[in-house]
Amino acid sequence: MKLYTYLDRLNMDKTKVNPSAKFLDGLNGSCSGICFYNSLKYEVPGCHDDQEGFYVIEGSGTVLMGDTEAEVRPDMAILLPPRTKHSFKRNPDSVPIKVFWFHAAI
């Protein structure tokens, strides 16, 4: 199991609207990474069988979590229960929303 890594922005798929890079894989399905949400509209929502957490590093916008919408800004933390549909969109005057994400086994 890899214990550390560095973000390699040069090798991220920049053709994606919201490029993402996986950092680490842990035990029992835990993993972490970073995503840059650049879209001005909600894209196809993510939905996973495990819980997922987010920490907003920079940027501002809105997150849709099931039927709930919330303002997104730096230093916001989010923890979603399993099978919760979610999507982010940035504000037009914002840099892409930079989010650290992690999946934790249930």
Side-chain angles (χ1 to χ4, degrees):
M1 180 173 72
K2 192 159 58 163
L3 297 179
Y4 68 91
T5 191
Y6 296 95
L7 175 63
D8 183 359
R9 290 183 193 219
L10 296 178
N11 289 319
M12 289 182 72
D13 185 354
K14 299 194 180 50
T15 63
K16 292 185 175 181
V17 174
N18 300 321
S20 183
K22 192 180 229 183
F23 280 155
L24 299 170
D25 283 316
L27 302 174
N28 301 320
S30 65
C31 62
S32 65
I34 197 152
C35 189
F36 296 86
Y37 292 97
N38 195 37
S39 182
L40 296 173
K41 62 182 177 81
Y42 291 125
E43 299 293 328
V44 175
C47 190
H48 314 282
D49 288 334
D50 59 351
Q51 57 191 344
E52 185 173 12
F54 302 91
Y55 178 75
V56 180
I57 299 167
E58 65 183 3
S60 62
T62 311
V63 60
L64 181 63
M65 305 163 287
D67 296 329
T68 302
E69 234 180 359
E71 176 187 344
V72 171
R73 63 179 188 265
D75 296 328
M76 176 185 194
I78 301 165
L79 184 61
L80 298 178
R83 293 172 289 287
T84 302
K85 291 183 180 181
H86 54 280
S87 187
F88 290 81
K89 66 178 179 180
R90 73 173 175 87
N91 288 336
D93 60 345
S94 174
V95 298
I97 302 169
K98 183 178 182 181
V99 173
F100 172 78
W101 55 264
F102 63 92
H103 289 266
I106 52 174

